[in-house]
Amino acid sequence: MLPETVMDFLNDAARQAGTVVPARDESLFQSGLLDSFSLVDFITLVETECHIKVSDQELRPELFDTIEKVESFILNAAQAR
Amino acid sequence: MSCYIRGVGAFVPDRVVTNTELASFLGTTPDWIEENSGIRERRWVRHNESASSLAIEAVRNASRHAGLSADQIDYLIACTLSPDYQVPGIAPFVQRALVGCRSIPAIDIRTGCAAILYGLQIARGLIESGAARFVVCCGAEAQSKGLDLRPESREISMLFGDGAGALVLAAEQDEPRSGGLSIRVEDILIETDGNFAEDLLVRVPGSANGDHWLSEDQLERGLHRGSMQGRTVILQAVRKLAESAYRVAERNGISLDQIATFIPHQANGNLLRKLSKKLGVSESRVVMNVDRLGNTSGASAFLAMEQAVREQRIEADSYSMILAFGAGFTWGAALCRCYGRSRV
């Protein structure tokens, strides 16, 4: 599960896009919740709220394309700590 | 011995291409282009213009601004990713056009939009080592000739414009004219991460393309046009530019609050706004020309520097910082301090 603040970010983005948060395996980009620029803020929020650091090599949009992928990333980062 | 910027110059083609004109090719609306890029118009070269023809005018303007004659130039550095020809680069054509210029070294560097920083680093090394007294460094692009104007390429093709800018760099003992420009290059940080080399590239012509560096099949597949993983570029650019700014400020014992003017590569208006937010600086301290010139790649930070001087945004005894990010990925920051200024 994503932290509440991260889900709040996605819920706000969904409201602004006039849509709803997509299923866990559906693209956050294709659903209109994230674009190139809001992704910057989203990843910063994930880093802050989950106390993880996304390395330069991991800073690729395909790793944050779905809620499922974001959860998996956070889990792996936490286990690697 | 220190390295000073003594003159700045710019030149842009007179052909203005508005979003309205471009939208008709790209199958979109003028508003969509502006909303996604912050660009309202850009300049494109005419058929008889090229990267070198723009660079020549920018270098002449910078030399005039510095009070430098062509025979005084010791070294010429040209930055472009849209050269007149595959070989040679544009620097020899610029050297040839400068009446009185001696047979000085004239080189091209190919670090895309971050080229100004690499050019400054080379120029600074030449000057500080005593190998050259006056170095001219220019950035020029005529990349509109390579754009794919079909709807499927609109996210790239809406961005790019043409233009050129130039800097005259000199050693400290060569005092500027009374009231002239005197901006010392205090520090330069440049870095590269080749893991992202294929995220922003023009693949053809090239020797990594099998048996031939250019084939009909490659042309049909559009491999001679630029390709870009836009989201990756933006993610990496915002992070690397912000980190570079903080690192350079810190190692020079200053805070970003002490930097009066930021002079970034003009990638995209939205990216520049995101960057200013990340740096915690107001947009009024960030020089912007992307709205009227588009992304002029290797020329853009040169053009922004000329604009900053022309608009008197670089005051005496103030710091400014050049920030750039480009293909490679390459990126970095240069900290400058002004000791005098002049109008362009």
Side-chain angles (χ1 to χ4, degrees):
Chain A
M1 285 285 289
L2 292 179
E4 193 176 334
T5 45
V6 175
M7 281 310 300
D8 286 346
F9 181 100
L10 294 177
N11 282 319
D12 285 347
R15 266 194 296 278
Q16 284 174 25
T19 184
V20 294
V21 175
R24 295 177 71 254
D25 60 348
E26 286 179 358
S27 169
L28 295 167
F29 296 110
Q30 287 175 15
S31 63
L33 264 67
L34 293 182
D35 62 19
S36 301
F37 297 100
S38 59
L39 180 61
V40 175
D41 297 330
F42 180 68
I43 292 175
T44 302
L45 181 69
V46 168
E47 285 182 310
T48 307
E49 293 297 318
C50 302
H51 310 290
I52 60 170
K53 172 71 178 170
V54 179
S55 73
D56 289 348
Q57 293 310 310
E58 294 165 333
L59 197 59
R60 288 186 175 274
E62 55 268 29
L63 296 180
F64 302 91
D65 186 30
T66 67
I67 290 174
E68 205 167 50
K69 287 181 184 173
V70 177
E71 287 175 344
S72 170
F73 184 91
I74 294 168
L75 189 63
N76 289 338
Q79 286 173 347
R81 269 206 307 247
Chain B
M1 193 180 299
S2 297
C3 173
Y4 286 81
I5 299 171
R6 277 189 59 184
V8 296
F11 185 80
V12 294
D14 62 4
R15 183 185 171 205
V16 177
V17 177
T18 64
N19 285 353
T20 303
E21 180 181 348
L22 196 56
S24 64
F25 298 118
L26 300 180
T28 185
T29 65
D31 288 347
W32 184 87
I33 294 175
E34 184 166 357
E35 188 180 321
N36 284 279
S37 67
I39 298 168
R40 295 199 309 270
E41 61 186 38
R42 71 286 291 145
R43 303 296 184 99
W44 282 5
V45 289
R46 296 183 186 279
H47 76 282
N48 59 342
E49 293 177 304
S50 66
S52 77
S53 73
L54 303 182
I56 289 163
E57 296 305 321
V59 168
R60 285 177 176 151
N61 289 336
S63 299
R64 194 176 302 120
H65 184 228
L68 186 78
S69 58
D71 65 331
Q72 292 178 282
I73 302 172
D74 295 314
Y75 215 106
L76 180 62
I77 301 167
C79 311
T80 187
L81 52 77
S82 51
D84 295 19
Y85 306 106
Q86 181 79 353
V87 177
I90 64 168
F93 294 101
V94 177
Q95 185 268 344
R96 182 179 73 180
L98 299 175
V99 176
C101 187
R102 293 168 287 122
S103 48
I104 56 169
I107 62 166
D108 275 40
I109 55 175
R110 301 183 57 184
T111 48
C113 305
I116 187 171
L117 299 171
Y118 284 73
L120 277 176
Q121 179 82 295
I122 294 168
R124 186 181 184 217
L126 290 165
I127 287 170
E128 292 187 354
S129 68
R133 286 179 65 205
F134 296 104
V135 178
V136 171
C137 185
C138 62
E141 301 293 0
Q143 54 198 345
S144 63
K145 293 189 179 187
L147 296 179
D148 180 0
L149 297 180
R150 294 176 300 172
E152 53 266 41
S153 298
R154 66 185 176 201
E155 292 190 5
I156 292 181
S157 298
M158 69 176 177
L159 294 173
F160 294 106
D162 303 330
L167 305 175
V168 172
L169 299 127
E172 62 185 329
Q173 70 264 34
D174 300 301
E175 288 297 320
R177 295 166 299 169
S178 176
L181 188 68
S182 180
I183 300 172
R184 189 165 74 189
V185 181
E186 302 276 346
D187 191 14
I188 302 169
L189 166 72
I190 46 177
E191 294 183 310
T192 302
D193 186 349
N195 288 304
F196 294 93
E198 292 184 278
D199 286 76
L200 179 55
L201 87 168
V202 180
R203 199 171 284 279
V204 168
S207 58
N209 295 315
D211 293 334
H212 306 286
W213 71 1
L214 177 66
S215 69
E216 284 187 21
D217 173 60
Q218 290 161 350
L219 289 174
E220 279 175 19
R221 290 161 60 201
L223 300 182
H224 60 300
R225 309 209 187 265
S227 70
M228 176 170 70
Q229 299 299 320
R231 289 180 187 138
T232 302
V233 171
I234 290 165
L235 274 180
Q236 293 282 335
V238 173
R239 173 182 281 191
K240 297 288 175 31
L241 290 170
E243 285 179 355
S244 299
Y246 281 113
R247 284 169 62 194
V248 170
E250 186 180 11
R251 75 188 192 185
N252 284 275
I254 64 171
S255 71
L256 296 187
D257 290 341
Q258 293 173 264
I259 297 170
T261 310
F262 291 86
I263 302 162
H265 160 53
Q266 308 285 305
N268 176 310
N270 297 334
L271 190 152
L272 294 182
R273 277 185 277 280
K274 191 66 72 181
L275 177 63
S276 61
K277 185 179 166 192
K278 190 111 178 161
L279 294 175
V281 304
S282 68
E283 288 178 25
S284 63
R285 288 162 62 196
V286 180
V287 177
M288 288 183 71
N289 61 40
V290 69
D291 57 331
R292 56 190 175 76
L293 295 179
N295 179 338
T296 52
S297 297
S300 87
F302 287 95
L303 285 161
M305 173 59 94
E306 189 272 348
Q307 179 183 340
V309 173
R310 176 164 38 83
E311 294 178 349
Q312 300 185 58
R313 296 174 66 171
I314 299 180
E315 297 289 338
D317 206 32
S318 74
Y319 286 105
S320 56
M321 182 177 276
I322 302 169
L323 294 163
F325 180 95
F329 292 149
T330 53
W331 68 89
L335 181 68
C336 303
R337 189 169 189 183
C338 183
Y339 291 89
R341 63 176 169 81
S342 69
R343 290 169 185 267
V344 175

